[in-house]
Amino acid sequence: MLLEKIKTPGLSHLSYLIGSQGKAAVIDPRRDCEIYVERARAEGLEITHIFETHRNEDLITGSPVLAKMTGARVLHGPNPADEIVFADTAREGDVFEIGKLRISVLETPGHTDDHLAFVLHDDDFPEGPVGVFTGDALFVGDVGRTDFYPERAREVAGLLYDSLQKICGLGDQAIIYPAHGAGSVCGSGMANREFSTIGHERRNNPRLQIADREEFIEAKLAEHHYQPPYFRLMERLNVEGTSPAPRILRPKRLMLSDIREIDADHVVDVRDPLAYASGHLPGSICLPVGMISVFAGWFIREGETIALVGSAEDQLASAMTHLVRIGLDSIVGGYVGIVPAAAQGMKMASLPMIGTNEVQDRLERKRDDWTLLDVRDLDERRSGAIEGSDHIYVGELNSRFAELDRERAYSVMCASGMRASVAAGWLQSKGFGKLDIYLGSMGAWQHAS
């Protein structure tokens, strides 16, 4: 028996390859899906089935592409938002054989209406399931969000409660295999590990500690989640199917002369925030490689062209890979060499950094031409905020920048300064000239108090 977890960094997406006796199946494949074929063939396995736990909102599924590569059958749940043109419908009670392994289907709506869990049985061990692929219904330390149907909020929260009871009924021995890990936008309380059992979750997962259905519903209704604009793009592409990822996940090399004349919709600087703040191309935005999956979809729309700026070729390749996985494919090229460009007379912009003492001084002087702008999420803000600061979530600055005064001075803060750099870079690209970044942000403030 083979069971291999394939992790997608940035998105914190978890997909799985399982196999037995020459046959294999993939659960929730990503768009750049050659990896599944390579791993399966290395083990002498043929991929015959592709199982989708649900229509993902945060990444493009690789199911239609993988099906064309392998001839495998794609299975998706009932009640999708629209017809999944590349998949057959699987329903509760359906059973699929993968060699000596059996996959049985549970309908588990709540996170989405079409959500399924796939229960893994091993014929050599008949005393209960070996594990269950829980998709975005049950995570390690958390459960799925239920905010995708706002007009039915109470109903879908109740459906998730019922689905979790069904999953827990599989037995404490069953290992859980979720579709996301810590850092995903699909949950907020996931543990920093990717292994657990139903028994462990039943005893330790805060949401599973709620035994009363109405209490669970109220807890879910009280949650606050953000929905980036690119979620709508993912939903559409995961219904219609999409093209394969580019074969070469490295952008075309741009020269200094190209950068001088570039006409891309966005120049995206993927270097470390401190490097960006020290010197960057005027008009470029700050999206460090590790933050692209979470924030690029807030600021870049489908079809808009992108030029990447990095400190190394491998950094550009990583950035392009992250962008392709969320459908932002229009990458015109990548440039390495900000320091040499400056040495050749290229004009540079910068963003000053300030510390806690300066922030405290400005607050005490009550400057009427200055605002401390907190760009953390609402839950962070509720747990502690600096008196006198204003709040706009970093992602919502994609449009809410228009609410701000370009003639006003802003110090941008978050928890550490990372997201503040993204926010300040975006504001600067929109014509805000009186900006600085609170280095250390809330962490530094709390340490000093």
Side-chain angles (χ1 to χ4, degrees), residues 175-216:
I175 302 167
I176 69 167
Y177 300 102
H180 289 92
S184 167
V185 296
C186 295
S188 56
M190 299 181 208
N192 276 317
R193 55 186 161 81
E194 295 164 5
F195 55 91
S196 191
T197 63
I198 287 177
H200 185 87
E201 293 305 305
R202 200 168 49 77
R203 292 175 177 86
N204 296 282
N205 188 313
R207 289 297 186 230
L208 295 186
Q209 302 303 298
I210 303 175
D212 180 75
R213 191 175 191 269
E214 285 303 311
E215 183 182 350
F216 178 90

Side-chain angles (χ1 to χ4, degrees), residues 286-298:
C286 176
L287 277 176
V289 170
M291 302 174 76
I292 285 174
S293 298
V294 176
F295 292 112
W298 282 100

Side-chain angles (χ1 to χ4, degrees), residues 80-99:
D82 205 342
E83 180 187 4
I84 311 294
V85 298
F86 53 83
D88 295 330
T89 301
R91 299 184 179 276
E92 181 144 344
D94 288 348
V95 178
F96 303 90
E97 294 187 358
I98 314 294

Side-chain angles (χ1 to χ4, degrees), residues 24 37 41 46-50 63-75 86 88:
V37 180
R41 288 181 179 175
E46 176 191 2
I47 297 173
T48 58
H49 293 78
I50 302 164
S63 293
V65 178
L66 187 58
K68 289 180 180 178
M69 293 171 66
T70 63
R73 183 185 180 194
V74 181
L75 283 308
F86 53 83
D88 295 330

